[in-house]
């Protein structure tokens, strides 16, 4: 079974005649270098590139292309060769992108001559780099292995070759670029975005969402940041990213009507999840039943790639998010085109005053409106078809989600047992778009949390135009915070997650009752200015100690009484009870805490802290803003959608929260 590698991981090779396949989505240059036992290149004759594509045991492409196939015969390598490095670079001097951060994550697979995949690697995390060492084949004790490298170079091929010890690096890089420029007109274009049968192939995903109009993004949420293999588009439909075979276009019949959605700009978009779990090879994913001709295959839960069912479901949820974003972008693009076309036709028809006399103007208007309706109807048919497919998939996937991904109304919570391992992600709510409000995609955030949470209790106009009473909104915000805290406690193993609460005025006593009465809090809620100062001082000291231990390489030297579990601080009624020192400590925890396991959850109205002016702006921007009521504040930089977020709350009258917290408290008691 093929191994899906992460950066730095190696895998043994059982055969010496191989093919290395590259899929980049954009024309790239493929080259390879031969290195000695120290990885050094002895001369330009040890580099295979488009100008010199053939070396003993090695052959590369002669031009830039979106897809490459490199032939490797390790048995034919000279004895002095101990390492073969596969290089990818963006062509210079053309109209294409100048950095890998602006294109889809390249995918590299090593296969046998019969096409059987041995190992694959998706190169993620690139930004300003224009050249990268994708992977290397190396000889160790007489046996060959493959290692995923993913080392990028902003200085291009010249910097890369210099780093590998080639004295004539700049001269050779210029020669390669010249050879590529001569054949660039013949570059192979990216493969079409759909397969003949219309089904999509998935490998992984991770878009990034952020508060609309701000520089922040959500981490890990569908529509957030970020899996290792790509979902047929590593998180990118009609914009930046690998392609998917999903039937997500709603282009009108008129050839001139095809208007692809404009890709987002302003920085790299990485849709892959970081830190893929390593270990045993991935188990085979469930296979969908064959579909009759012209129909989609019946959806199956877990049909994405992954090393476990949990990871496959995580990737599948991301795929659903991407598919919904893609098909909605295509529909909106088609509608925009229909609108602009109708306006243009009306302007042309009515620009001549003579056409306004008699029935010519009315006829032109009716013809333009009829064409507009035809185009919109056609786009809607394609959209409805794709939405039906996604709805069918959602009906299959939702009941199969593991506990950490499931909503509070899922029956899986009734059989809750404290887990033994930390899950990949946790569900914090649902996302949907206005054209299909009934189709919800779980918003999954990677664990451990990389950003704090801000539950906005400020008054704002709801989506239906109504206003919620400020006291009721604060109560809903506290209920949302308690639900999120309870979920985090429930998905972590016993004793590996602790929750602290700051409630200076005691106004949250009723909402905090489930946490207090079950005994899952690390200590009673802190009240008053003294309580605020004490909790902040202890958590700040913990961050300092852990940071010093990690930086000094002395993690074993932490004080014996230090709680090494992940810590969550819930802050209510901010800034009541906070002096200037406490505000500074809070900002410090928000900035430095997540890297050492201290997380912040603010339940606050930003207007209440307006007196601090711009001093607290970095604090709000560093937190992921969530709302207690449905709100379309999450902006998708990929295709520009404003996603509506709805929190995951316990159904009214349900006792599931009490039952789950009781189980957590019981498990903690057994550890003492």
């Amino acid at each position: 079974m093929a191994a899906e590698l992460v950066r730095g991981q190696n895998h043994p090779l059982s055969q010496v005649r191989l093919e290395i396949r590259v899929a980049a989505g954009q024309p790239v240059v493929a080259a390879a270098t031969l290195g000695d036992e120290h990885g050094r290149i002895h001369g330009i004759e040890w580099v295979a590139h488009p100008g010199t594509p053939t070396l003993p045991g090695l052959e590369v492409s002669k031009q830039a292309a979106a897809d490459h196939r490199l032939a490797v015969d390790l048995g034919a390598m000279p004895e002095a060769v101990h390492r073969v490095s596969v290089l990818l670079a963006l062509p210079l001097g053309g109209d294409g992108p100048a950095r890998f951060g602006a294109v889809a994550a390249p995918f590299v697979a090593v296969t046998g001559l019969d096409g059987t995949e041995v190992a694959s690697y998706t190169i993620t995390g690139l930004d300003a780099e224009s050249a990268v060492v994708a992977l290397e084949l190396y000889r160790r004790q007489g046996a060959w292995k493959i290692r995923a490298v993913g080392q990028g170079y902003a200085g291009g091929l010249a910097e890369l070759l210099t780093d590998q010890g080639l004295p004539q690096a700049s001269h050779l890089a210029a020669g390669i670029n010249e050879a590529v420029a001569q054949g660039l007109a013949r570059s192979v274009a990216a493969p079409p975005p759909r397969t003949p049968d219309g089904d999509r192939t998935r490998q992984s995903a991770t878009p990034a969402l952020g508060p609309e109009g701000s520089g922040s993004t959500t981490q890990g949420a569908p529509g957030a940041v970020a899996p290792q293999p790509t979902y047929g588009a590593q998180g990118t439909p009609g914009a930046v990213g690998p392609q998917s075979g999903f039937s997500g276009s709603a282009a009108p019949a008129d050839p001139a009507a095809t208007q692809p959605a404009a890709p987002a700009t302003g920085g790299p978009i990485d849709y892959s999840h970081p830190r893929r779990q390593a270990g045993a090879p991935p188990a085979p994913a469930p296979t969908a039943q064959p579909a009759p001709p012209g129909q989609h295959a019946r959806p199956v839960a877990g049909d994405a790639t992954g090393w476990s069912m949990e990871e496959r479901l995580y990737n599948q949820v991301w795929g659903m998010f991407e598919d919904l974003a893609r098909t909605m972008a295509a529909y909106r693009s088609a509608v925009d085109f229909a609108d602009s076309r109708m306006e243009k036709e009306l302007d042309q028809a009515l620009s001549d005053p003579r056409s306004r006399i008699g029935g010519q103007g009315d006829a032109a208007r009716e013809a333009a409106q009829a064409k507009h309706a035809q185009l919109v109807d056609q786009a809607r048919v394609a959209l409805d078809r794709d939405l039906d497919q996604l709805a069918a998939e959602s009906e299959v996937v939702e009941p199969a989600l593991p506990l950490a991904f499931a909503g509070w109304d899922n029956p899986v919570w009734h059989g809750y047992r404290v887990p033994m391992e930390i899950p990949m992600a946790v569900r914090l709510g649902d996302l949907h778009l206005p054209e299909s409000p009934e189709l919800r995609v779980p918003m999954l955030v990677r664990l451990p949390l990389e950003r704090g949470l801000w539950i906005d209790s400020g008054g704002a106009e709801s989506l239906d135009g109504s206003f919620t009473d400020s006291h009721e909104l604060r109560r809903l915000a506290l209920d949302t915070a308690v639900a999120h805290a309870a979920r985090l406690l429930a998905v972590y193993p016993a004793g590996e997650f602790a929750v602290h609460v700051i409630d200076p005025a005691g106004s949250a006593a009723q909402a905090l009752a489930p946490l207090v009465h079950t005994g899952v809090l690390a200590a009673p809620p802190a009240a008053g200015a003294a309580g605020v100062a004490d909790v902040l001082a202890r958590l700040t000291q913990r961050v300092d100690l852990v940071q010093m231990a990690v930086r000094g390489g002395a993690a074993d030297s932490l004080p014996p009484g230090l709680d090494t579990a992940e810590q969550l601080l819930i802050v209510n009624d901010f800034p009541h009870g906070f002096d200037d020192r406490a505000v500074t400590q809070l900002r410090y925890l928000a900035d430095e805490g997540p890297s050492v396991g201290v997380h912040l959850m603010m339940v606050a109205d930003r207007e209440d802290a307006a007196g601090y002016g711009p001093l607290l702006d970095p604090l709000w921007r560093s937190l992921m803003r969530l709302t207690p009521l449905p709100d379309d504040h999450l902006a998708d930089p990929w295709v520009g959608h404003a996603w509506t977020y709805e929190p995951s709350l316990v159904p009214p009258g349900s006792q599931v929260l009490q039952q789950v917290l009781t189980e957590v408290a019981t498990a903690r008691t057994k550890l003492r």
Side-chain angles (χ1 to χ4, degrees):
M1 182 163 299
E4 296 180 75
L5 305 180
V6 297
R7 180 173 297 176
Q9 186 178 359
N10 58 37
H11 185 75
L13 294 173
S14 59
Q15 46 193 315
V16 295
R17 301 187 66 187
L18 304 166
E19 186 174 74
I20 299 176
R21 302 181 180 183
V22 178
Q26 292 281 345
V28 297
V29 181
T33 61
L34 306 180
D36 59 18
E37 57 187 357
H38 302 295
R40 313 296 287 182
I41 305 174
H42 288 191
I44 59 175
E45 66 276 5
W46 281 39
V47 182
H49 55 84
T52 307
T54 304
L55 293 179
L58 181 62
E59 183 175 358
V60 303
S61 305
K62 297 181 180 180
Q63 62 185 33
D67 292 327
H68 291 273
R69 293 194 177 190
L70 285 64
V72 179
D73 186 354
L74 298 175
M77 292 288 172
E79 286 296 325
V81 174
H82 288 259
R83 184 175 303 175
V84 180
S85 300
V86 178
L87 320 178
L88 302 178
L90 293 170
L92 299 181
D95 296 331
R99 57 190 183 89
F100 276 109
V103 302
F107 176 77
V108 184
V110 178
T111 71
L113 295 184
D114 59 353
T116 303
E117 188 173 301
V118 178
S120 63
Y121 172 44
T122 302
I123 310 171
T124 61
L126 299 178
D127 186 1
E129 298 86 348
S130 59
V132 61
V133 179
L135 51 81
E136 62 184 16
L137 312 176
Y138 64 98
R139 180 161 29 195
R140 182 70 53 82
Q141 297 179 348
W144 285 92
K145 295 184 178 182
I146 177 177
R147 176 186 291 120
V149 181
Q151 176 63 52
Y153 295 85
L157 280 173
E159 182 182 357
L160 187 156
L161 295 172
T162 300
D163 190 48
Q164 293 199 352
L166 184 65
Q168 311 94 326
S170 298
H171 177 72
L172 178 59
I176 294 175
N177 292 327
E178 181 180 355
V180 171
Q182 294 176 358
L184 198 55
R186 305 187 304 274
S187 296
V188 180
R194 79 177 66 209
T195 57
D197 60 0
D199 288 339
R200 64 183 179 278
T201 55
R202 293 180 173 170
Q203 293 180 358
S204 94
T206 313
L209 287 173
E212 191 169 15
S214 74
S216 60
T217 59
T218 70
Q219 138 251 338
V225 77
Q228 215 85 324
T230 61
Y231 270 91
Q234 191 173 14
T236 71
V240 182
Q243 284 104 4
S244 165
F246 178 70
S247 158
S249 63
D254 190 312
T258 304
Q259 298 288 329
T265 59
I269 300 176
D270 184 4
Y271 295 99
S272 67
H273 66 72
R275 299 184 297 278
R276 173 180 291 280
Q277 297 175 353
T287 304
Q289 298 181 8
Q295 298 183 19
H296 292 289
R298 294 179 59 184
V300 176
D303 74 342
T305 59
W307 292 67
S308 64
M309 177 57 76
E310 178 192 41
E311 185 172 9
R312 290 200 294 270
L313 287 169
Y314 174 87
N315 288 342
Q316 188 171 13
V317 169
W318 275 108
M320 293 166 58
F321 170 84
E322 295 164 3
D323 290 343
L324 179 57
R326 179 184 300 110
T327 192
M328 200 62 68
Y331 170 73
R332 292 178 178 179
S333 177
V335 172
D336 289 344
F337 171 80
D339 292 341
S340 62
R341 177 171 181 157
M342 182 178 67
E343 292 178 4
K344 181 178 179 180
E345 291 177 348
L346 290 175
D347 289 342
Q348 290 176 347
L350 301 178
S351 60
D352 186 354
R354 292 173 296 179
S355 65
R356 305 173 191 171
I357 302 174
Q360 294 183 11
D362 293 338
R365 184 180 298 104
E366 291 176 359
Q369 292 173 346
K371 184 62 176 177
H372 175 271
Q374 178 187 356
L375 295 177
V376 172
D377 290 344
Q378 185 175 349
R380 187 70 206 193
V381 169
L383 174 65
D384 290 341
R385 181 187 65 241
D386 293 342
L387 292 180
D388 289 343
Q389 181 186 352
L390 284 170
E393 185 172 13
S394 179
E395 292 176 358
V396 173
V397 171
E398 189 70 40
L401 292 177
L403 186 137
F405 301 173
W408 283 109
D409 56 351
N410 193 309
V412 70
W413 286 101
H414 295 287
Y416 171 77
R417 293 293 181 271
V418 178
M420 302 298 293
E421 296 181 353
I422 301 174
M424 292 179 57
V426 65
R427 183 175 187 163
L428 293 183
D430 296 326
L431 300 172
H432 63 87
L433 292 170
E435 290 89 345
S436 58
E438 69 286 346
L439 182 57
R440 309 295 179 91
V441 180
M443 177 176 169
L444 305 181
V445 178
R446 289 301 303 267
L447 292 179
L449 295 174
E450 296 178 3
R451 300 173 60 195
L453 304 177
W454 166 28
I455 314 300
D456 191 355
S457 61
E461 185 178 356
S462 63
L463 293 178
D464 59 4
S466 62
F467 285 87
T468 304
D469 176 78
S470 60
H471 296 290
E472 177 67 10
L473 195 58
R474 291 178 185 272
R475 184 191 66 80
L476 292 173
L478 284 169
D479 289 344
T480 302
V482 170
H484 290 334
R487 181 181 287 267
L488 288 167
L489 283 166
V491 302
Y492 271 81
E496 295 193 21
F497 196 86
V499 177
H500 309 262
V501 176
I502 289 179
D503 185 23
S507 59
Q510 183 177 356
L512 295 172
L515 300 176
V516 175
H517 294 164
T518 54
V520 294
L521 293 180
V532 171
D534 178 63
V535 172
L536 291 176
R538 285 189 286 109
L539 291 178
T540 301
Q541 182 185 41
R542 182 190 185 281
V543 171
D544 290 338
L545 290 174
V546 176
Q547 279 188 339
M548 288 188 293
V550 171
R551 291 170 182 170
D556 296 336
S557 301
L558 290 170
L562 185 72
D563 185 5
T564 57
E566 298 277 318
Q567 309 286 316
L568 175 68
L569 173 61
I570 302 176
V571 178
N572 180 49
D573 210 14
F574 178 81
H576 181 79
F578 282 75
D579 54 20
D580 290 344
R581 176 180 175 82
V583 170
T584 301
Q585 290 175 319
L586 195 67
R587 287 188 54 186
Y588 176 73
L589 293 178
D591 293 338
E592 304 294 333
S595 63
V596 291
V598 177
H599 312 285
L600 193 61
M601 182 186 291
M602 298 279 291
V603 184
D605 179 0
R606 188 170 181 173
E607 293 301 321
D608 291 343
Y612 287 93
L615 175 66
L616 291 182
D617 286 349
L619 172 64
W620 305 119
R621 286 196 297 266
S622 69
L623 304 175
M624 183 195 306
R625 177 176 174 250
L626 303 176
T627 55
L629 295 174
D631 188 81
D632 59 350
H633 66 282
L634 293 178
D636 180 359
W638 169 29
V639 287
H641 295 331
W643 291 82
T644 298
Y645 165 80
E646 189 166 341
S648 179
L649 300 176
V650 180
S654 174
Q655 297 298 315
V656 65
L657 185 66
Q658 190 76 18
Q659 296 170 5
V660 168
L661 292 178
T662 300
E663 285 286 338
V664 172
T666 302
R668 288 187 172 188
T669 303
K670 294 178 180 179
L671 292 177
R672 296 171 183 170

